[in-house]
Amino acid sequence: MGEKSTIVISGHQSISYFSDVRNLCWFLEPEFANSVVRLHKLVGNAITEDHHIVVGTGSTQLFQAVLYALSPPNASEPMNVVSAAPFYSSYPLLTDYLKSALYKWAGDAYEFSKDGPYIELVTSPNNPDGFTREPVVRRTKGLLVHDLAYYWPQYTPISFPADHDIMLFTVSKSTGHAGIRLGWALVKDREIAKKMINFIELNTIGVSRDSQLRAAKILQAVSESYDHVDNSKETEPFFEYGYNIMAKRWKQLRAAVNKSKLFSLPDFPPGTCTFTGRTFESQPAFAWLKCEGEIEDCESFLRRHKIWTRGGKYFGVSSKYVRISTLSRDETFDLFTERLSAMVLESP
């Protein structure tokens, strides 16, 4: 995007804790809020009307704020938190990190059978396997949190604008700017949003205003890349660029895997994207690779071949599975697929 996403912040800017005292989320920069609303309307992946925007230091802080906001303060026992396996590996760690009396990790949603209130985390598209998810437990006392970090058109077809009670997004997955450490939640209930804001206020006294200003400029540049679309490389729309890279990488990865019966990858049903009009299969940010045959510990097997992954046990499933990032730099991804192919060729 070049200079289109460059911002200069003067020394006198962002001195105060406060961004907008008239807003419920008083540390939310108006420019960032406007850029979030504009981008969601452009892509059509989420409804922002009748939702409060809560900004956090990445979706990690927002996740902790959500658990705090949804858990009754005077309950006789901690609120159970579940997610369907394979679930995001950080969910158990983040939930139990503080050993809170408010909530606790209760494991795989498919195996959850306890009575009473609970929080179910619905990650869609799912990390690690990339599939579209819906709630599993489906009981009247359940509270749902939809983690939609990967619901962007470079990864998956946009099938409808999500309109859930609580939706989590992050700059790191929408544009790749993980170092900005910024995420946002769209929250319908004002009281829940207030409790989330209170958590962030006590935790970090708000969120970096500089990060918000930079993120606002980046998201604005993404939206503006669709204002005057032509055939020149300079004005290639952002998500079109991202889609083409992901399509190329998944084709390259599947070719490496298909040379042998040692591994397998998920097959995704094609869907039509309402944003692009294109029909395609999901091409997730992570490859959910399975070692076939007699290989039981896929993580260790690949490590011996100098391929670092995260094993299935961290995601609540068999160690025959591993998660591998497809978002590394070109030279790293090329080296990964080369080693995968060479490993296949060397296998008996």
Side-chain angles (χ1 to χ4, degrees):
M1 306 299 292
E3 294 300 314
K4 297 176 183 177
S5 57
T6 298
I7 183 172
V8 176
I9 301 176
S10 301
H12 66 273
Q13 285 184 262
S14 309
I15 292 178
S16 172
Y17 290 119
F18 299 93
S19 296
D20 184 0
V21 294
R22 298 166 298 178
N23 196 311
L24 180 66
C25 186
W26 52 266
F27 47 82
L28 172 64
E29 285 289 319
E31 291 180 46
F32 180 66
N34 292 338
S35 66
V36 164
V37 171
R38 180 183 181 185
L39 187 60
H40 281 307
K41 286 184 177 180
L42 171 69
V43 175
N45 62 341
I47 299 293
T48 57
E49 291 82 0
D50 299 322
H51 285 80
H52 301 281
I53 300 176
V54 181
V55 64
T57 304
S59 57
T60 298
Q61 187 183 42
L62 289 169
F63 172 75
Q64 294 171 319
V66 163
L67 297 186
Y68 170 82
L70 295 181
S71 300
N74 300 313
S76 58
E77 60 181 31
M79 177 81 90
N80 290 301
V81 181
V82 301
S83 188
F87 42 71
Y88 178 41
S89 59
S90 290
Y91 282 157
L93 300 174
L94 291 171
T95 303
D96 289 340
Y97 179 66
L98 296 178
K99 301 187 184 301
S100 173
L102 296 177
Y103 48 80
K104 65 178 181 179
W105 177 250
D108 186 358
Y110 287 113
E111 299 179 358
F112 182 71
S113 59
K114 297 179 181 179
D115 294 328
Y118 65 91
I119 299 170
E120 182 175 355
L121 311 169
V122 183
T123 308
S124 187
N126 190 41
N127 176 356
D129 62 12
F131 285 103
T132 299
R133 285 286 189 86
E134 293 184 356
V136 169
V137 183
R138 296 181 182 275
R139 295 188 198 146
T140 55
K141 294 183 179 180
L143 300 171
L144 301 178
V145 178
H146 285 80
D147 187 339
L148 305 180
Y150 299 95
Y151 192 41
W152 296 99
Q154 68 268 48
Y155 306 124
T156 192
I158 303 302
S159 53
F160 63 93
D163 189 21
H164 307 296
D165 290 342
I166 303 172
M167 300 180 283
L168 303 182
F169 293 90
T170 174
V171 175
S172 67
K173 305 308 184 296
S174 54
T175 69
H177 291 80
I180 286 181
R181 302 308 311 127
L182 212 63
W184 67 94
L186 301 177
V187 185
K188 283 187 178 180
D189 189 286
R190 179 182 177 87
E191 291 305 311
I192 292 175
K194 284 176 64 176
K195 289 180 180 179
M196 291 177 65
I197 293 164
N198 180 244
F199 176 91
I200 296 170
E201 178 180 348
L202 293 173
N203 188 229
T204 52
I205 320 181
V207 175
S208 168
R209 296 179 62 190
D210 288 358
S211 288
Q212 292 185 67
L213 292 173
R214 184 175 179 224
K217 183 67 173 179
I218 290 168
L219 298 187
Q220 179 183 346
V222 171
S223 295
E224 289 178 350
S225 70
Y226 288 87
D227 287 348
H228 304 287
V229 178
D230 57 35
N231 296 323
S232 68
K233 180 88 172 176
E234 183 180 354
T235 57
E236 183 179 15
F238 178 84
F239 291 115
E240 186 72 12
Y241 172 83
Y243 168 87
N244 290 331
I245 288 181
M246 297 305 294
K248 175 180 178 294
R249 289 189 174 190
W250 270 90
K251 181 178 180 180
Q252 183 177 331
L253 176 58
R254 289 192 184 277
V257 168
N258 288 339
K259 288 184 179 179
S260 158
K261 296 181 179 180
L262 279 179
F263 310 103
S264 62
L265 288 166
D267 290 318
F268 302 102
T272 300
C273 181
T274 57
F275 174 59
T276 64
R278 177 190 287 117
T279 299
F280 66 101
E281 299 175 4
S282 293
Q283 40 199 37
F286 293 101
W288 189 232
L289 189 73
K290 181 182 181 183
C291 283
E292 301 290 352
E294 299 180 358
I295 305 171
E296 295 298 328
D297 188 342
C298 197
E299 181 181 10
S300 297
F301 177 77
L302 290 172
R303 186 175 287 259
R304 291 196 296 270
H305 292 82
K306 298 183 179 181
I307 298 176
W308 265 243
T309 65
R310 193 159 178 78
K313 64 181 180 180
Y314 298 103
F315 304 91
V317 296
S318 166
S319 59
K320 291 182 74 69
Y321 291 90
V322 295
R323 188 192 73 171
I324 305 174
S325 174
T326 61
L327 300 182
S328 53
R329 294 185 179 274
D330 286 341
E331 56 268 26
T332 304
F333 190 81
D334 290 343
L335 182 60
F336 158 57
T337 53
E338 287 172 12
R339 287 183 179 176
L340 203 64
S341 297
M343 188 194 320
V344 170
L345 296 174
E346 293 168 1
S347 300

